[in-house]
Short mmCIF file of all heavy atoms in Angstrom, two decimals:
data_model
loop_
_atom_site.label_atom_id
_atom_site.label_comp_id
_atom_site.label_asym_id
_atom_site.label_seq_id
_atom_site.Cartn_x
_atom_site.Cartn_y
_atom_site.Cartn_z
N GLU B 181 76.80 -6.27 18.19
CA GLU B 181 76.21 -4.93 18.02
C GLU B 181 74.71 -4.91 18.26
O GLU B 181 74.12 -3.85 18.47
CB GLU B 181 76.46 -4.44 16.58
CG GLU B 181 77.90 -4.06 16.33
CD GLU B 181 78.13 -3.66 14.89
OE1 GLU B 181 77.24 -3.00 14.31
OE2 GLU B 181 79.16 -4.07 14.34
N ILE B 182 74.05 -6.10 18.17
CA ILE B 182 72.59 -6.14 18.36
C ILE B 182 72.28 -6.12 19.85
O ILE B 182 72.73 -6.99 20.60
CB ILE B 182 71.95 -7.39 17.69
CG1 ILE B 182 72.29 -7.41 16.20
CG2 ILE B 182 70.43 -7.40 17.91
CD1 ILE B 182 71.74 -8.61 15.45
N GLU B 183 71.58 -5.07 20.26
CA GLU B 183 71.28 -4.91 21.68
C GLU B 183 69.78 -5.12 21.93
O GLU B 183 68.99 -5.17 20.99
CB GLU B 183 71.71 -3.51 22.15
CG GLU B 183 73.23 -3.34 22.02
CD GLU B 183 73.70 -1.96 22.47
OE1 GLU B 183 72.89 -1.27 23.15
OE2 GLU B 183 74.82 -1.60 22.13
N ILE B 184 69.45 -5.20 23.21
CA ILE B 184 68.04 -5.48 23.57
C ILE B 184 67.10 -4.45 22.95
O ILE B 184 66.00 -4.78 22.49
CB ILE B 184 67.88 -5.51 25.11
CG1 ILE B 184 68.60 -6.76 25.66
CG2 ILE B 184 66.42 -5.52 25.52
CD1 ILE B 184 68.63 -6.86 27.17
N CYS B 185 67.56 -3.21 22.88
CA CYS B 185 66.69 -2.16 22.33
C CYS B 185 66.41 -2.36 20.84
O CYS B 185 65.52 -1.73 20.28
CB CYS B 185 67.28 -0.78 22.59
SG CYS B 185 68.92 -0.58 21.85
N ASP B 186 67.17 -3.24 20.19
CA ASP B 186 66.92 -3.52 18.76
C ASP B 186 65.90 -4.65 18.55
O ASP B 186 65.42 -4.86 17.43
CB ASP B 186 68.23 -3.96 18.08
CG ASP B 186 69.29 -2.87 18.16
OD1 ASP B 186 68.95 -1.71 17.86
OD2 ASP B 186 70.44 -3.20 18.51
N TYR B 187 65.60 -5.36 19.61
CA TYR B 187 64.79 -6.58 19.47
C TYR B 187 63.42 -6.31 18.83
O TYR B 187 62.95 -7.07 17.99
CB TYR B 187 64.59 -7.28 20.82
CG TYR B 187 65.82 -7.99 21.35
CD1 TYR B 187 65.79 -8.65 22.58
CD2 TYR B 187 67.03 -8.02 20.62
CE1 TYR B 187 66.91 -9.32 23.07
CE2 TYR B 187 68.15 -8.67 21.13
CZ TYR B 187 68.08 -9.32 22.35
OH TYR B 187 69.20 -9.97 22.84
N GLN B 188 62.77 -5.21 19.27
CA GLN B 188 61.41 -4.98 18.78
C GLN B 188 61.42 -4.76 17.26
O GLN B 188 60.54 -5.24 16.55
CB GLN B 188 60.76 -3.79 19.49
CG GLN B 188 59.25 -3.64 19.20
CD GLN B 188 58.47 -4.89 19.62
OE1 GLN B 188 58.58 -5.38 20.73
NE2 GLN B 188 57.66 -5.44 18.68
N ASN B 189 62.44 -4.05 16.76
CA ASN B 189 62.55 -3.87 15.31
C ASN B 189 62.69 -5.20 14.60
O ASN B 189 62.10 -5.41 13.54
CB ASN B 189 63.76 -2.98 14.96
CG ASN B 189 63.44 -1.50 15.20
OD1 ASN B 189 62.26 -1.11 15.22
ND2 ASN B 189 64.48 -0.69 15.39
N LEU B 190 63.48 -6.12 15.20
CA LEU B 190 63.66 -7.44 14.59
C LEU B 190 62.33 -8.20 14.58
O LEU B 190 61.96 -8.82 13.59
CB LEU B 190 64.72 -8.24 15.35
CG LEU B 190 66.14 -7.67 15.28
CD1 LEU B 190 67.09 -8.54 16.11
CD2 LEU B 190 66.65 -7.60 13.83
N LYS B 191 61.62 -8.13 15.74
CA LYS B 191 60.32 -8.81 15.82
C LYS B 191 59.36 -8.25 14.77
O LYS B 191 58.50 -8.96 14.25
CB LYS B 191 59.70 -8.62 17.21
CG LYS B 191 60.40 -9.39 18.32
CD LYS B 191 59.69 -9.10 19.66
CE LYS B 191 60.38 -9.79 20.83
NZ LYS B 191 59.76 -9.41 22.11
N ASN B 192 59.52 -6.96 14.48
CA ASN B 192 58.64 -6.33 13.49
C ASN B 192 59.06 -6.64 12.05
O ASN B 192 58.44 -6.18 11.09
CB ASN B 192 58.61 -4.81 13.67
CG ASN B 192 57.92 -4.42 14.98
OD1 ASN B 192 57.25 -5.25 15.61
ND2 ASN B 192 58.12 -3.18 15.39
N GLY B 193 60.20 -7.38 11.87
CA GLY B 193 60.58 -7.83 10.53
C GLY B 193 61.67 -7.01 9.86
O GLY B 193 61.99 -7.25 8.69
N ARG B 194 62.23 -6.04 10.61
CA ARG B 194 63.26 -5.21 9.99
C ARG B 194 64.61 -5.93 9.91
O ARG B 194 64.98 -6.70 10.78
CB ARG B 194 63.44 -3.92 10.78
CG ARG B 194 62.22 -3.03 10.70
CD ARG B 194 62.57 -1.61 11.08
NE ARG B 194 61.33 -0.85 11.23
CZ ARG B 194 61.26 0.29 11.89
NH1 ARG B 194 62.33 0.81 12.47
NH2 ARG B 194 60.11 0.92 11.97
N ASP B 195 65.38 -5.60 8.85
CA ASP B 195 66.76 -6.08 8.76
C ASP B 195 67.62 -5.28 9.74
O ASP B 195 67.17 -4.28 10.31
CB ASP B 195 67.29 -5.86 7.33
CG ASP B 195 66.47 -6.66 6.30
OD1 ASP B 195 65.86 -7.68 6.69
OD2 ASP B 195 66.44 -6.24 5.13
N PHE B 196 68.89 -5.75 9.96
CA PHE B 196 69.78 -5.04 10.88
C PHE B 196 71.03 -4.59 10.11
O PHE B 196 71.63 -5.38 9.38
CB PHE B 196 70.18 -5.93 12.06
CG PHE B 196 70.88 -5.18 13.14
CD1 PHE B 196 70.15 -4.49 14.12
CD2 PHE B 196 72.28 -5.12 13.18
CE1 PHE B 196 70.80 -3.78 15.11
CE2 PHE B 196 72.93 -4.39 14.16
CZ PHE B 196 72.19 -3.73 15.13
N LYS B 197 71.38 -3.32 10.30
CA LYS B 197 72.56 -2.78 9.60
C LYS B 197 73.73 -2.70 10.59
O LYS B 197 73.63 -2.01 11.62
CB LYS B 197 72.23 -1.39 9.07
CG LYS B 197 73.27 -0.81 8.15
CD LYS B 197 72.80 0.54 7.59
CE LYS B 197 73.80 1.11 6.63
NZ LYS B 197 73.33 2.41 6.11
N LEU B 198 74.80 -3.44 10.28
CA LEU B 198 75.98 -3.38 11.14
C LEU B 198 76.71 -2.05 10.93
O LEU B 198 76.47 -1.34 9.94
CB LEU B 198 76.92 -4.54 10.80
CG LEU B 198 76.36 -5.96 11.00
CD1 LEU B 198 77.38 -7.01 10.56
CD2 LEU B 198 75.99 -6.17 12.48
N ASN B 199 77.61 -1.73 11.89
CA ASN B 199 78.36 -0.48 11.80
C ASN B 199 79.17 -0.38 10.51
O ASN B 199 79.38 0.70 9.98
CB ASN B 199 79.29 -0.33 13.01
CG ASN B 199 78.49 -0.07 14.28
OD1 ASN B 199 77.36 0.42 14.21
ND2 ASN B 199 79.08 -0.42 15.42
N ASN B 200 79.61 -1.55 10.00
CA ASN B 200 80.42 -1.55 8.77
C ASN B 200 79.56 -1.45 7.52
O ASN B 200 80.05 -1.57 6.41
CB ASN B 200 81.34 -2.78 8.71
CG ASN B 200 80.54 -4.07 8.60
OD1 ASN B 200 79.32 -4.04 8.38
ND2 ASN B 200 81.24 -5.18 8.74
N GLY B 201 78.23 -1.30 7.72
CA GLY B 201 77.34 -1.11 6.56
C GLY B 201 76.73 -2.39 6.06
O GLY B 201 75.80 -2.35 5.24
N THR B 202 77.18 -3.53 6.56
CA THR B 202 76.61 -4.80 6.13
C THR B 202 75.17 -4.93 6.61
O THR B 202 74.86 -4.63 7.76
CB THR B 202 77.42 -5.98 6.71
OG1 THR B 202 78.79 -5.77 6.42
CG2 THR B 202 76.94 -7.32 6.12
N ILE B 203 74.28 -5.39 5.73
CA ILE B 203 72.88 -5.61 6.09
C ILE B 203 72.69 -7.09 6.45
O ILE B 203 73.02 -7.98 5.66
CB ILE B 203 71.94 -5.28 4.91
CG1 ILE B 203 72.12 -3.83 4.42
CG2 ILE B 203 70.48 -5.57 5.29
CD1 ILE B 203 71.52 -2.78 5.31
N ILE B 204 72.21 -7.34 7.65
CA ILE B 204 71.85 -8.72 8.04
C ILE B 204 70.34 -8.86 7.82
O ILE B 204 69.56 -8.13 8.42
CB ILE B 204 72.17 -9.02 9.52
CG1 ILE B 204 73.59 -8.55 9.86
CG2 ILE B 204 71.97 -10.51 9.81
CD1 ILE B 204 74.69 -9.29 9.15
#
Side-chain angles (χ1 to χ4, degrees):
Chain B
E181 287 176 39
I182 302 180
E183 297 180 16
I184 291 175
C185 59
D186 300 313
Y187 286 179
Q188 190 59 51
N189 282 338
L190 295 178
K191 289 179 183 175
N192 292 346
R194 293 199 191 161
D195 298 336
F196 190 84
K197 189 176 182 180
L198 298 177
N199 290 336
N200 66 10
T202 309
I203 303 285
I204 313 295

